[in-house]
Amino acid sequence: MLPAVTAAKWSAVRHCVETTGDRFAELLLTVPSEAMATADWTVTDTAAHLVTLSGSYARMLNGPSDPAGVIGSARPGGLTGVPALEEIIPATTVDTLAHLNEAAMAHITERGPRTLAARLRDDIAAILRACDDLGPDDPVHWLGDSRVPVAGLLANLANELQIHGRDIARATGARWEVAPADAALFFELFLLGVTRHGHGRLLDRHGPERPGRIAVEFHSRHTAPAAMVLQDGRVTIGEPRWDIDVKVFFEPVTLNLVLFGRMSRTRAILTGQVAVWGRRPWLLLPFMRKMRLPS
């Protein structure tokens, strides 16, 4: 079982969100706003997407808890503040997240860089104020009826800022760097956190689940060793032990880029940033087909 989030990690993820949010806001004000950051989004479209997230998270963390202690479950507007989206959110899976993003962005018509940068900074300030009264492992209702610890929610926001900041920088020639320790927070606090608290329907997909057990152990220089187990379609936290099928060493920045489709697995392995070994390394592929992220 994973230990509770340490005071050091709790402090680190809060600092990471604050500084990365500031860096992103500054980047937004120094690059051409109509440049295409991705195949579908301009720089300001990308910023608007991040504002939908930061605004949602600020509302979630500043809302009341239900009797079971789950944050963000008992107030008007729920996750987004847009009632029309409330029917979409509980049924959202990794494979339908693009639909939710499109629906959410339709309600953010602002595309002025200064306004978006100010809104992002204000939302992050509200998030950090809310964290003064919350514990890092307090559960939050999230997409697909999953539950994420508060520290994991912050790590997810930091990762979104890191990934999309890179998108904008690559498109405009700007400078953007991510420290490995900051990137590692996504794996350690979000991926492991939502697995421990429960994925809900987030990883559901069409068709039968693969039967049997796959155990994968993850190592990096910036995280403690951790194991995840896929058993008959359900992913849980495991224990590093003798019957691990696959072992993965990863450099955190690279792993996040691979998980979100910014770098190929082949390139990551050939450059030595990700290494895979173990008694049944081929089982990493069916494991990752289940434990997938949107790209």
Side-chain angles (χ1 to χ4, degrees), residues 5 31 38 40 43 80 85 88 102 104 109-111 116 142 146 153 162 172 185 207 221 236 241 258 260-261 280:
V5 178
V31 299
T38 71
D40 301 309
V43 166
T80 64
L85 298 178
I88 301 175
E102 291 174 4
T109 58
E110 177 61 55
R111 291 297 184 271
L116 290 169
W142 205 57
S146 62
L153 197 74
Q162 292 163 4
T172 61
L185 295 169
R221 297 185 182 93
T236 59
R241 59 185 195 181
V258 171
F260 286 90
R280 297 194 294 175

Side-chain angles (χ1 to χ4, degrees), residues 34-182:
E34 295 306 311
M36 295 302 296
T38 71
D40 301 309
W41 288 349
T42 65
V43 166
T44 49
D45 288 335
T46 302
H49 164 65
L50 287 168
V51 165
T52 67
L53 295 179
S54 63
S56 297
Y57 292 2
R59 281 184 288 272
M60 292 165 68
L61 298 183
N62 282 281
S65 300
D66 68 11
V70 182
I71 301 166
S73 61
R75 68 197 187 287
L79 179 63
T80 64
V82 180
L85 298 178
E86 294 305 300
E87 293 182 4
I88 301 175
I89 291 166
T92 294
T93 69
V94 168
D95 298 328
T96 63
L97 186 57
H99 174 55
L100 175 61
N101 284 337
E102 291 174 4
M105 285 183 64
H107 292 274
I108 300 290
T109 58
E110 177 61 55
R111 291 297 184 271
R114 291 190 179 278
T115 301
L116 290 169
R119 288 184 64 173
L120 181 66
R121 282 191 165 114
D122 288 346
D123 289 341
I124 289 175
I127 289 169
L128 296 176
R129 285 195 301 271
C131 287
D132 290 338
D133 299 318
L134 298 171
D137 209 43
D138 290 345
V140 181
H141 273 303
W142 205 57
L143 305 176
D145 203 30
S146 62
R147 295 185 179 187
V148 182
V150 172
L153 197 74
L154 267 61
N156 184 61
L157 179 58
N159 179 68
E160 289 277 352
L161 291 163
Q162 292 163 4
I163 294 289
H164 290 300
R166 177 183 180 272
D167 289 341
I168 291 174
R170 285 172 61 85
T172 61
R175 185 180 180 86
W176 183 262
E177 295 181 356
V178 176
D182 287 345

